[in-house]
Amino acid sequence: MKVALFATCLVDTMVPQVARATAALLERLGHEVVVPPGQSCCGQMHVNTGYRREAVPIVANHVRAFAGAEAIVAPSGSCVASIHHQQAAVARRAGEHGLADEAAALAGRTYELSQFLVDVLDVTDVGAYYPHRVTYHPTCHSLRLLRVGDRPLQLLRAVRGLDLVELPAADQCCGFGGTFAVKNAETSTAMLTDKMANVLSTHAEVCTAGDASCLMHIGGGLSRLRSGTRTVHLAEILASTEEAVSPDQSTRPAVSA
Amino acid sequence: MTGVFLGLPTAPRGVGHLRGDRSFPDAARDSLRDGQLRANLGHATATIRGKRAAVVGEVPDWAELREAGRAIKAATMARLDDHLVALEEQVTARGGTVHWARDANEANEIVTRLVQATGADEVVKVKSMATQEIGLNEALEAAGIAAHETDLAELIVQLGEDKPSHILVPAIHKNRAEIREIFLRTMPGVDPGLTDEPRKLAMAARAHLRERFLRARVAISGVNFAVAETGTLSVVESEGNGRMCLTLPQTLITVMGIEKVVPTFRDLEVFLQLLPRSSTGERMNPYTSLWTGVTPGDGPQEFHLVLVDNGRTAVLADDAGRSALHCIRCSACLNVCPVYERAGGHAYGSVYPGPIGAVLSPQLTGVEDNASLPYASSLCGACYDVCPVAIDIPSILVHLRGEHVEAQSRTTPEAVAFRALSTAMSNPRLWRLAQRAAGLGRFLARGRPTLPAVLPPPASKWTRTRDLPTPPKETFTQAWAREHGS
Amino acid sequence: MSAREEVLARIRTALGEDRAVVPEIVRDYRTTDERTHAQLLDVLTDRLEDYKATVLRCSPSEVAPTVRAALGTAMGEHSPADVVLAPGLPADWRPDGSVEDDGRPAVALADYAATVTGVSVAIAETGTLVLDGSPLCGRRALSLLPDCLVCVVEADQVVGGVPEGLARVDPTAPLTMISGPSATSDIELQRVEGVHGPRTLIVVLVH
Ligand code: SF4
């Protein structure tokens, strides 16, 4: 299958290794990966901060960039959720019904990575090897908007060498919440503190998730604590194999401890 | 379409308790520092979350009930005028008197006048969000009428000269030791040996209020559901204080927000299943009272129903936010909210805290009077999941953020930034330049994997507690294009 | 414009000229019960006991002695004159010497220690007794003020769920739904029994 990779603005700019790992994984599974060069952002941050009008041209850019793509995959539950639940609505509110229809059609072909692997490609064992103790944080938008359920856990359980430990109070929000992390920094930090305590209680080396944004928040906190536990995106784990532990697609954390 | 454009009035300023005097982040900062408060809230909400999950989990048709609840509320709102007129007709036909109030001031005046007409200088009250919202106790007090709260938690708040912090358990922020201290300090004739055992505390409240119930001539209540078709009103409670108020006094005055009406008696079969399991996590609450007008020889012989708008019609006019009026005040959304659990109810500055408060308060007052509340959420969605009438609170929060942004007449620095970013993100060439500029941030790191902790605002809001990764030399899309030659 | 007219006019403005159709309400939740009657009695018992109510079962001919025994357990030594009865309580349910509610001022009922009433319907799944103000159930204050409440429930009054229960009552009667003794969860959200209403609830289940 020809898969168009939507890196998302955050991954593309700040943690490119996550997108690289996604591409490597999909290619390893025998699929052709294309990266439409016009891509930027899904518009979620604008919508969620109240700039829904300003989000419309961003949505239009996204639709232009991915026009004609057969399947679109992004390593982010929250961006995919925004594509599914917000893009068409903000366009429609702005009176751009043509754009809304196109966005809705594109959303129908857009998948979060774990859903794409399990539901579309029908694989749970992606042939990965990752000899570390790992705990999984189900990010809120993957959990409640996309309902990815236990798909990421199915994928992780099939990774050779990986010791999966359950995260206590896993379904509690980590406190990222986009601009919430800045507008309500104290409350966000209080939530993060509890999340980190739960992560650290597992004695995992690595905390993983399907959203680079939440991981940047959790990882940034863990790094500040010099805790030694690091955050690694699910795609990076699934891309790792015995042979291919390259510097780009590796067991290295997004934020090193 | 929004209420503002239709000119429908929001709840007036200067009366009632819908507005705080500080923004949410400022108020939350204080409560976050209060370790006792956080421990009390964490303990209480964890308890109730577990109970709710257990009793909801045992109902095989919960999803069907929830959908029916949602649909009944939506259907009610679609014909709210007709249902209110029907309700008025039924209540009047059965011996009650119906009053209409445009806002809090008018409702307070009506109730004060009705109490004065009885000659009473005190009333007993059943816990009611509507009367708290309109500031009825203060209005009565100004008229020389003492209002005695009779719900245990309300009593704790009233005796402690505190403010409610939860819609179901207003004293949730107090633990048993603190409650004991309040009782010892404020209850006349209380046993000095009172322990902090919850049962003993409840007994102390029983003794304190017993005589007040028996001498009361006027009671004031709210209402959970009012049935248009039959004129039946209902109060759902646990302690029996509600029954005391609804049964013993000669006069009963019920204050009700206009959204509390439901079309048919049959609709109660849905809500009386949804509400108790969602609120106290019980299969059924101990007492539900249902009454219609006046029954000779049984209960109050004079009954008044006061229907209050106070901004509700403005909410109704906004079809993207209207469903906030569907709320049955179960408080499940508060109990699962990670922001509420940490910041506490007082931080919201309104009688309606938590997720539903973060939408309803700004909707009732107009967004600009509660502008920080729609942002008081990480949009985690736990509230929507548990809401028994499926109110999509996160979407309404996002909608209200949009309303707030669009209500600004002056350009804020944030708006400048978001507009610039929008321009860049909708133009691939500009976006690459912007990304490259962001990449320059890596020089601040001097080769380390993270940026320095001391960055200027607004980045400092992030870096005070979290490291930021050092931006890479090259973005993914750049590298890919280079390697794949496009 | 009166407040009434103004509020109604605001609603009409809010809803707009051409109103949306009223959404359909699908009632595909459970409105009947497949469990046998014996099972429902067990469920009712289980739920009531979960609320810390006492359930005593007896045959139709043993109601009065069972009620007497219940009162004895709840109150120990007591005078039958401390027990007040709903006026419509059948003669063969009445413990000897107790008095019928004579319509005295409601607050005077607080002088009694216990009440015996019947019910209008009982809902098994939620452990709920519905009293409807009829002579069998008595006026509302009767089941409220005395500290011990004994309710006699006949087997054919027991239904499965809330929809079946509400379908059996008159919506305009003064209804009280009772699920266990009075309780509160206001202290640390922990349920404790016994606040303003009766602290003891005993259900005599006749079958
Ligand atoms: S919004 Fe929903 S969950 Fe929250 S209090 Fe209202 S009904 Fe309950």
Side-chain angles (χ1 to χ4, degrees), chain B residues 61 81 88 102 153 199 203 206 210 239 243 267 269 282 286 288 290 309, chain C residues 1 4 6 10 19 27 29-30 143 145 175 177 179 186 191 193-195 199:
Chain B
D61 53 349
D81 48 349
E88 177 185 45
R102 297 172 183 90
R199 198 182 154 79
M203 285 312 107
R206 177 185 166 105
R210 189 83 178 173
E239 296 167 13
R243 294 184 65 194
D267 297 332
E269 72 190 21
E282 293 166 306
T288 296
L290 298 150
D309 178 354
Chain C
M1 220 193 307
R4 178 182 189 276
E6 186 163 339
R10 287 177 185 176
R19 300 179 162 205
R27 296 181 192 267
Y29 48 82
R30 292 171 303 152
S143 55
L145 289 170
L175 298 169
M177 300 172 70
S179 308
D186 280 357
R191 181 174 161 127
E193 281 72 26
V195 197
R199 286 180 282 190

mmCIF file of all heavy atoms in Angstrom, chain B residues 61 81 88 102 153 199 203 206 210 239 243 267 269 282 286 288 290 309, chain C residues 1 4 6 10 19 27 29-30 143 145 175 177 179 186 191 193-195 199:
data_model
loop_
_atom_site.group_PDB
_atom_site.id
_atom_site.type_symbol
_atom_site.label_atom_id
_atom_site.label_comp_id
_atom_site.label_asym_id
_atom_site.label_seq_id
_atom_site.Cartn_x
_atom_site.Cartn_y
_atom_site.Cartn_z
ATOM 1 N N ASP B 61 -28.020 -1.871 30.236
ATOM 2 C CA ASP B 61 -28.540 -0.965 29.201
ATOM 3 C C ASP B 61 -28.166 0.490 29.486
ATOM 4 O O ASP B 61 -28.909 1.400 29.134
ATOM 5 C CB ASP B 61 -30.059 -1.121 29.082
ATOM 6 C CG ASP B 61 -30.775 -0.964 30.422
ATOM 7 O OD1 ASP B 61 -30.089 -0.948 31.473
ATOM 8 O OD2 ASP B 61 -32.009 -0.860 30.428
ATOM 9 N N ASP B 81 -40.608 26.403 25.479
ATOM 10 C CA ASP B 81 -41.739 27.279 25.810
ATOM 11 C C ASP B 81 -43.017 26.477 26.035
ATOM 12 O O ASP B 81 -43.718 26.660 27.031
ATOM 13 C CB ASP B 81 -41.931 28.349 24.726
ATOM 14 C CG ASP B 81 -41.922 27.776 23.312
ATOM 15 O OD1 ASP B 81 -41.552 26.593 23.159
ATOM 16 O OD2 ASP B 81 -42.287 28.502 22.372
ATOM 17 N N GLU B 88 -46.880 25.035 33.938
ATOM 18 C CA GLU B 88 -47.592 26.073 34.682
ATOM 19 C C GLU B 88 -49.071 25.720 34.822
ATOM 20 O O GLU B 88 -49.664 25.827 35.907
ATOM 21 C CB GLU B 88 -47.438 27.407 33.944
ATOM 22 C CG GLU B 88 -48.196 28.548 34.582
ATOM 23 C CD GLU B 88 -48.109 29.816 33.738
ATOM 24 O OE1 GLU B 88 -48.279 29.732 32.510
ATOM 25 O OE2 GLU B 88 -47.849 30.881 34.303
ATOM 26 N N ARG B 102 -37.233 36.911 35.367
ATOM 27 C CA ARG B 102 -36.293 37.098 34.262
ATOM 28 C C ARG B 102 -34.858 36.807 34.702
ATOM 29 O O ARG B 102 -34.046 36.329 33.941
ATOM 30 C CB ARG B 102 -36.359 38.540 33.753
ATOM 31 C CG ARG B 102 -37.677 38.955 33.170
ATOM 32 C CD ARG B 102 -37.638 40.462 32.889
ATOM 33 N NE ARG B 102 -38.912 40.956 32.386
ATOM 34 C CZ ARG B 102 -39.888 41.415 33.171
ATOM 35 N NH1 ARG B 102 -39.754 41.425 34.483
ATOM 36 N NH2 ARG B 102 -41.012 41.865 32.645
ATOM 37 N N ALA B 153 -23.816 18.833 54.052
ATOM 38 C CA ALA B 153 -22.658 19.524 53.502
ATOM 39 C C ALA B 153 -22.887 21.027 53.425
ATOM 40 O O ALA B 153 -21.991 21.832 53.687
ATOM 41 C CB ALA B 153 -22.310 18.961 52.129
ATOM 42 N N ARG B 199 -20.472 8.973 61.337
ATOM 43 C CA ARG B 199 -21.803 8.721 61.878
ATOM 44 C C ARG B 199 -22.127 9.660 63.041
ATOM 45 O O ARG B 199 -23.234 10.177 63.141
ATOM 46 C CB ARG B 199 -21.898 7.263 62.329
ATOM 47 C CG ARG B 199 -23.302 6.799 62.496
ATOM 48 C CD ARG B 199 -23.399 5.366 62.987
ATOM 49 N NE ARG B 199 -24.670 5.220 63.689
ATOM 50 C CZ ARG B 199 -25.830 5.066 63.072
ATOM 51 N NH1 ARG B 199 -25.883 5.013 61.757
ATOM 52 N NH2 ARG B 199 -26.945 4.967 63.757
ATOM 53 N N MET B 203 -25.033 12.522 63.290
ATOM 54 C CA MET B 203 -25.968 12.582 64.418
ATOM 55 C C MET B 203 -26.018 13.978 65.030
ATOM 56 O O MET B 203 -27.066 14.460 65.448
ATOM 57 C CB MET B 203 -25.563 11.560 65.494
ATOM 58 C CG MET B 203 -25.885 10.120 65.154
ATOM 59 S SD MET B 203 -27.569 9.921 64.566
ATOM 60 C CE MET B 203 -27.257 9.655 62.853
ATOM 61 N N ARG B 206 -28.153 15.981 62.923
ATOM 62 C CA ARG B 206 -29.555 15.606 63.130
ATOM 63 C C ARG B 206 -30.126 16.337 64.352
ATOM 64 O O ARG B 206 -31.197 16.945 64.287
ATOM 65 C CB ARG B 206 -29.662 14.091 63.316
ATOM 66 C CG ARG B 206 -31.069 13.602 63.619
ATOM 67 C CD ARG B 206 -31.075 12.101 63.916
ATOM 68 N NE ARG B 206 -32.328 11.674 64.517
ATOM 69 C CZ ARG B 206 -33.274 11.000 63.855
ATOM 70 N NH1 ARG B 206 -33.093 10.670 62.597
ATOM 71 N NH2 ARG B 206 -34.384 10.648 64.462
ATOM 72 N N ARG B 210 -33.131 19.151 64.102
ATOM 73 C CA ARG B 210 -34.435 18.548 64.364
ATOM 74 C C ARG B 210 -35.498 19.593 64.741
ATOM 75 O O ARG B 210 -36.565 19.669 64.164
ATOM 76 C CB ARG B 210 -34.275 17.518 65.499
ATOM 77 C CG ARG B 210 -35.494 16.655 65.727
ATOM 78 C CD ARG B 210 -35.481 15.525 64.743
ATOM 79 N NE ARG B 210 -36.611 14.625 64.941
ATOM 80 C CZ ARG B 210 -36.878 13.636 64.118
ATOM 81 N NH1 ARG B 210 -36.125 13.426 63.058
ATOM 82 N NH2 ARG B 210 -37.903 12.847 64.332
ATOM 83 N N GLU B 239 -30.612 12.397 52.811
ATOM 84 C CA GLU B 239 -30.608 12.480 54.271
ATOM 85 C C GLU B 239 -31.987 12.505 54.896
ATOM 86 O O GLU B 239 -32.143 12.155 56.069
ATOM 87 C CB GLU B 239 -29.843 13.735 54.695
ATOM 88 C CG GLU B 239 -28.387 13.670 54.300
ATOM 89 C CD GLU B 239 -27.681 15.008 54.420
ATOM 90 O OE1 GLU B 239 -28.235 15.936 55.040
ATOM 91 O OE2 GLU B 239 -26.579 15.133 53.873
ATOM 92 N N ARG B 243 -37.113 15.776 52.613
ATOM 93 C CA ARG B 243 -38.477 15.362 52.973
ATOM 94 C C ARG B 243 -39.022 16.237 54.102
ATOM 95 O O ARG B 243 -40.197 16.589 54.101
ATOM 96 C CB ARG B 243 -38.484 13.898 53.403
ATOM 97 C CG ARG B 243 -38.130 12.934 52.292
ATOM 98 C CD ARG B 243 -38.259 11.475 52.766
ATOM 99 N NE ARG B 243 -39.647 11.141 53.090
ATOM 100 C CZ ARG B 243 -40.007 10.061 53.776
ATOM 101 N NH1 ARG B 243 -39.086 9.222 54.223
ATOM 102 N NH2 ARG B 243 -41.283 9.826 54.029
ATOM 103 N N ASP B 267 -40.566 10.061 31.449
ATOM 104 C CA ASP B 267 -39.157 10.429 31.314
ATOM 105 C C ASP B 267 -38.384 10.218 32.619
ATOM 106 O O ASP B 267 -37.172 10.004 32.606
ATOM 107 C CB ASP B 267 -39.032 11.889 30.862
ATOM 108 C CG ASP B 267 -39.652 12.104 29.493
ATOM 109 O OD1 ASP B 267 -39.674 11.142 28.703
ATOM 110 O OD2 ASP B 267 -40.133 13.219 29.221
ATOM 111 N N GLU B 269 -38.401 7.699 34.422
ATOM 112 C CA GLU B 269 -37.867 6.337 34.517
ATOM 113 C C GLU B 269 -36.433 6.281 33.971
ATOM 114 O O GLU B 269 -35.670 5.390 34.328
ATOM 115 C CB GLU B 269 -38.765 5.343 33.762
ATOM 116 C CG GLU B 269 -38.683 5.456 32.245
ATOM 117 C CD GLU B 269 -39.741 4.630 31.519
ATOM 118 O OE1 GLU B 269 -40.765 4.281 32.138
ATOM 119 O OE2 GLU B 269 -39.540 4.349 30.318
ATOM 120 N N GLU B 282 -24.770 5.250 43.866
ATOM 121 C CA GLU B 282 -25.687 4.302 44.491
ATOM 122 C C GLU B 282 -26.693 3.828 43.455
ATOM 123 O O GLU B 282 -26.969 4.529 42.487
ATOM 124 C CB GLU B 282 -26.464 4.984 45.630
ATOM 125 C CG GLU B 282 -25.597 5.373 46.786
ATOM 126 C CD GLU B 282 -26.304 6.326 47.735
ATOM 127 O OE1 GLU B 282 -26.792 7.382 47.266
ATOM 128 O OE2 GLU B 282 -26.363 6.030 48.913
ATOM 129 N N PRO B 286 -31.388 7.332 48.835
ATOM 130 C CA PRO B 286 -32.374 6.937 49.854
ATOM 131 C C PRO B 286 -33.775 7.521 49.646
ATOM 132 O O PRO B 286 -34.748 6.817 49.796
ATOM 133 C CB PRO B 286 -31.737 7.428 51.151
ATOM 134 C CG PRO B 286 -30.263 7.336 50.891
ATOM 135 C CD PRO B 286 -30.094 7.719 49.444
ATOM 136 N N THR B 288 -36.479 9.911 47.219
ATOM 137 C CA THR B 288 -36.904 10.793 46.149
ATOM 138 C C THR B 288 -38.338 11.194 46.441
ATOM 139 O O THR B 288 -39.194 10.331 46.643
ATOM 140 C CB THR B 288 -36.826 10.086 44.785
ATOM 141 O OG1 THR B 288 -35.467 9.781 44.514
ATOM 142 C CG2 THR B 288 -37.354 10.985 43.674
ATOM 143 N N LEU B 290 -41.765 13.140 45.200
ATOM 144 C CA LEU B 290 -42.471 13.632 44.014
ATOM 145 C C LEU B 290 -43.784 14.219 44.495
ATOM 146 O O LEU B 290 -44.499 13.575 45.260
ATOM 147 C CB LEU B 290 -42.753 12.480 43.047
ATOM 148 C CG LEU B 290 -41.526 11.755 42.488
ATOM 149 C CD1 LEU B 290 -41.854 10.305 42.204
ATOM 150 C CD2 LEU B 290 -41.042 12.431 41.228
ATOM 151 N N ASP B 309 -35.080 32.410 34.645
ATOM 152 C CA ASP B 309 -34.274 32.395 33.417
ATOM 153 C C ASP B 309 -32.804 32.649 33.789
ATOM 154 O O ASP B 309 -31.974 31.756 33.704
ATOM 155 C CB ASP B 309 -34.811 33.452 32.435
ATOM 156 C CG ASP B 309 -33.995 33.517 31.147
ATOM 157 O OD1 ASP B 309 -32.951 32.846 31.050
ATOM 158 O OD2 ASP B 309 -34.391 34.259 30.220
ATOM 159 N N MET C 1 -44.198 44.350 29.290
ATOM 160 C CA MET C 1 -44.334 42.891 29.166
ATOM 161 C C MET C 1 -44.126 42.230 30.530
ATOM 162 O O MET C 1 -43.222 42.604 31.262
ATOM 163 C CB MET C 1 -43.282 42.361 28.184
ATOM 164 C CG MET C 1 -43.833 41.287 27.297
ATOM 165 S SD MET C 1 -42.620 40.352 26.356
ATOM 166 C CE MET C 1 -41.667 41.553 25.501
ATOM 167 N N ARG C 4 -43.386 36.626 32.624
ATOM 168 C CA ARG C 4 -43.791 35.394 31.954
ATOM 169 C C ARG C 4 -43.698 35.551 30.431
ATOM 170 O O ARG C 4 -43.073 34.758 29.734
ATOM 171 C CB ARG C 4 -45.225 35.063 32.358
ATOM 172 C CG ARG C 4 -45.782 33.829 31.683
ATOM 173 C CD ARG C 4 -47.244 33.613 32.117
ATOM 174 N NE ARG C 4 -47.741 32.334 31.647
ATOM 175 C CZ ARG C 4 -48.242 32.138 30.444
ATOM 176 N NH1 ARG C 4 -48.298 33.141 29.583
ATOM 177 N NH2 ARG C 4 -48.674 30.943 30.092
ATOM 178 N N GLU C 6 -42.108 37.758 28.824
ATOM 179 C CA GLU C 6 -40.761 38.063 28.350
ATOM 180 C C GLU C 6 -39.901 36.801 28.274
ATOM 181 O O GLU C 6 -39.190 36.572 27.304
ATOM 182 C CB GLU C 6 -40.091 39.104 29.236
ATOM 183 C CG GLU C 6 -38.764 39.514 28.631
ATOM 184 C CD GLU C 6 -38.200 40.810 29.199
ATOM 185 O OE1 GLU C 6 -38.981 41.603 29.765
ATOM 186 O OE2 GLU C 6 -36.986 40.999 29.063
ATOM 187 N N ARG C 10 -38.262 35.276 24.973
ATOM 188 C CA ARG C 10 -36.818 35.007 24.832
ATOM 189 C C ARG C 10 -36.601 33.588 24.308
ATOM 190 O O ARG C 10 -35.746 33.351 23.456
ATOM 191 C CB ARG C 10 -36.126 35.138 26.183
ATOM 192 C CG ARG C 10 -35.985 36.558 26.690
ATOM 193 C CD ARG C 10 -35.356 36.482 28.059
ATOM 194 N NE ARG C 10 -35.260 37.761 28.724
ATOM 195 C CZ ARG C 10 -34.808 37.897 29.974
ATOM 196 N NH1 ARG C 10 -34.422 36.820 30.657
ATOM 197 N NH2 ARG C 10 -34.726 39.067 30.537
ATOM 198 N N ARG C 19 -38.330 26.273 13.603
ATOM 199 C CA ARG C 19 -37.764 25.402 14.622
ATOM 200 C C ARG C 19 -37.365 24.058 14.050
ATOM 201 O O ARG C 19 -38.048 23.515 13.183
ATOM 202 C CB ARG C 19 -38.794 25.171 15.712
ATOM 203 C CG ARG C 19 -39.208 26.461 16.352
ATOM 204 C CD ARG C 19 -40.231 26.177 17.386
ATOM 205 N NE ARG C 19 -40.304 27.321 18.276
ATOM 206 C CZ ARG C 19 -40.720 27.229 19.520
ATOM 207 N NH1 ARG C 19 -41.102 26.065 20.007
ATOM 208 N NH2 ARG C 19 -40.769 28.287 20.281
ATOM 209 N N ARG C 27 -36.618 4.510 23.099
ATOM 210 C CA ARG C 27 -36.620 3.910 24.432
ATOM 211 C C ARG C 27 -36.320 2.416 24.317
ATOM 212 O O ARG C 27 -37.180 1.583 24.543
ATOM 213 C CB ARG C 27 -37.962 4.139 25.124
ATOM 214 C CG ARG C 27 -38.234 5.625 25.379
ATOM 215 C CD ARG C 27 -39.558 5.830 26.078
ATOM 216 N NE ARG C 27 -39.930 7.241 26.069
ATOM 217 C CZ ARG C 27 -39.638 8.096 27.049
ATOM 218 N NH1 ARG C 27 -38.979 7.699 28.106
ATOM 219 N NH2 ARG C 27 -40.009 9.352 26.948
ATOM 220 N N TYR C 29 -34.173 0.893 26.166
ATOM 221 C CA TYR C 29 -33.658 0.357 27.426
ATOM 222 C C TYR C 29 -34.668 -0.663 27.971
ATOM 223 O O TYR C 29 -35.784 -0.781 27.455
ATOM 224 C CB TYR C 29 -33.409 1.489 28.421
ATOM 225 C CG TYR C 29 -34.550 2.476 28.552
ATOM 226 C CD1 TYR C 29 -35.642 2.207 29.363
ATOM 227 C CD2 TYR C 29 -34.535 3.674 27.842
ATOM 228 C CE1 TYR C 29 -36.695 3.095 29.471
ATOM 229 C CE2 TYR C 29 -35.588 4.569 27.944
ATOM 230 C CZ TYR C 29 -36.668 4.278 28.756
ATOM 231 O OH TYR C 29 -37.717 5.157 28.852
ATOM 232 N N ARG C 30 -34.280 -1.344 29.036
ATOM 233 C CA ARG C 30 -35.143 -2.417 29.549
ATOM 234 C C ARG C 30 -36.393 -1.866 30.217
ATOM 235 O O ARG C 30 -36.317 -0.998 31.078
ATOM 236 C CB ARG C 30 -34.371 -3.258 30.582
ATOM 237 C CG ARG C 30 -33.235 -4.079 30.009
ATOM 238 C CD ARG C 30 -32.417 -4.681 31.124
ATOM 239 N NE ARG C 30 -31.924 -3.606 31.995
ATOM 240 C CZ ARG C 30 -31.651 -3.755 33.278
ATOM 241 N NH1 ARG C 30 -31.808 -4.919 33.874
ATOM 242 N NH2 ARG C 30 -31.204 -2.736 33.984
ATOM 243 N N SER C 143 -44.079 8.391 57.485
ATOM 244 C CA SER C 143 -42.923 7.525 57.237
ATOM 245 C C SER C 143 -41.609 8.285 57.399
ATOM 246 O O SER C 143 -40.556 7.817 57.014
ATOM 247 C CB SER C 143 -43.008 6.945 55.822
ATOM 248 O OG SER C 143 -43.126 7.985 54.883
ATOM 249 N N LEU C 145 -41.024 10.959 60.321
ATOM 250 C CA LEU C 145 -40.626 11.462 61.638
ATOM 251 C C LEU C 145 -40.235 10.388 62.652
ATOM 252 O O LEU C 145 -39.200 10.518 63.305
ATOM 253 C CB LEU C 145 -41.702 12.394 62.185
ATOM 254 C CG LEU C 145 -41.760 13.745 61.437
ATOM 255 C CD1 LEU C 145 -42.987 14.543 61.847
ATOM 256 C CD2 LEU C 145 -40.490 14.561 61.694
ATOM 257 N N LEU C 175 -45.705 11.211 46.213
ATOM 258 C CA LEU C 175 -44.929 9.969 46.185
ATOM 259 C C LEU C 175 -43.628 10.125 46.954
ATOM 260 O O LEU C 175 -42.963 11.161 46.870
ATOM 261 C CB LEU C 175 -44.597 9.601 44.738
ATOM 262 C CG LEU C 175 -45.782 9.318 43.806
ATOM 263 C CD1 LEU C 175 -45.308 9.230 42.357
ATOM 264 C CD2 LEU C 175 -46.477 8.019 44.224
ATOM 265 N N MET C 177 -40.136 7.811 47.289
ATOM 266 C CA MET C 177 -39.380 6.605 46.960
ATOM 267 C C MET C 177 -38.318 6.435 48.038
ATOM 268 O O MET C 177 -37.505 7.332 48.261
ATOM 269 C CB MET C 177 -38.731 6.748 45.578
ATOM 270 C CG MET C 177 -39.763 6.959 44.464
ATOM 271 S SD MET C 177 -39.022 7.367 42.870
ATOM 272 C CE MET C 177 -38.278 5.815 42.437
ATOM 273 N N SER C 179 -35.224 4.148 49.560
ATOM 274 C CA SER C 179 -34.250 3.101 49.282
ATOM 275 C C SER C 179 -33.283 3.040 50.459
ATOM 276 O O SER C 179 -32.233 3.662 50.455
ATOM 277 C CB SER C 179 -33.497 3.395 47.986
ATOM 278 O OG SER C 179 -34.409 3.649 46.939
ATOM 279 N N ASP C 186 -21.958 12.923 52.661
ATOM 280 C CA ASP C 186 -21.378 14.260 52.628
ATOM 281 C C ASP C 186 -20.032 14.376 53.324
ATOM 282 O O ASP C 186 -19.348 15.385 53.208
ATOM 283 C CB ASP C 186 -22.342 15.273 53.239
ATOM 284 C CG ASP C 186 -23.421 15.655 52.235
ATOM 285 O OD1 ASP C 186 -23.346 15.171 51.092
ATOM 286 O OD2 ASP C 186 -24.316 16.427 52.590
ATOM 287 N N ARG C 191 -20.619 6.668 52.532
ATOM 288 C CA ARG C 191 -22.018 6.595 52.950
ATOM 289 C C ARG C 191 -22.110 6.187 54.415
ATOM 290 O O ARG C 191 -21.507 5.194 54.826
ATOM 291 C CB ARG C 191 -22.742 5.583 52.069
ATOM 292 C CG ARG C 191 -24.214 5.440 52.405
ATOM 293 C CD ARG C 191 -24.904 4.530 51.405
ATOM 294 N NE ARG C 191 -26.152 4.046 51.960
ATOM 295 C CZ ARG C 191 -27.327 4.151 51.351
ATOM 296 N NH1 ARG C 191 -27.403 4.722 50.166
ATOM 297 N NH2 ARG C 191 -28.425 3.665 51.900
ATOM 298 N N GLU C 193 -25.288 5.623 57.371
ATOM 299 C CA GLU C 193 -26.730 5.547 57.488
ATOM 300 C C GLU C 193 -27.195 6.385 58.676
ATOM 301 O O GLU C 193 -26.534 6.432 59.708
ATOM 302 C CB GLU C 193 -27.181 4.096 57.672
ATOM 303 C CG GLU C 193 -27.212 3.294 56.371
ATOM 304 C CD GLU C 193 -25.838 2.966 55.829
ATOM 305 O OE1 GLU C 193 -24.892 2.896 56.628
ATOM 306 O OE2 GLU C 193 -25.715 2.789 54.602
ATOM 307 N N GLY C 194 -28.343 6.998 58.490
ATOM 308 C CA GLY C 194 -29.008 7.630 59.614
ATOM 309 C C GLY C 194 -28.745 9.105 59.735
ATOM 310 O O GLY C 194 -27.779 9.512 60.372
ATOM 311 N N VAL C 195 -29.600 9.927 59.121
ATOM 312 C CA VAL C 195 -29.503 11.355 59.362
ATOM 313 C C VAL C 195 -30.875 11.829 59.856
ATOM 314 O O VAL C 195 -31.233 11.561 60.985
ATOM 315 C CB VAL C 195 -29.004 12.142 58.137
ATOM 316 C CG1 VAL C 195 -28.526 13.536 58.553
ATOM 317 C CG2 VAL C 195 -27.845 11.417 57.476
ATOM 318 N N ARG C 199 -33.806 6.117 61.062
ATOM 319 C CA ARG C 199 -32.474 5.518 61.042
ATOM 320 C C ARG C 199 -32.548 4.006 60.888
ATOM 321 O O ARG C 199 -31.557 3.360 60.590
ATOM 322 C CB ARG C 199 -31.715 5.908 62.310
ATOM 323 C CG ARG C 199 -31.273 7.362 62.247
ATOM 324 C CD ARG C 199 -30.533 7.783 63.476
ATOM 325 N NE ARG C 199 -31.445 8.046 64.589
ATOM 326 C CZ ARG C 199 -31.057 8.621 65.731
ATOM 327 N NH1 ARG C 199 -29.797 8.960 65.909
ATOM 328 N NH2 ARG C 199 -31.925 8.845 66.684
#
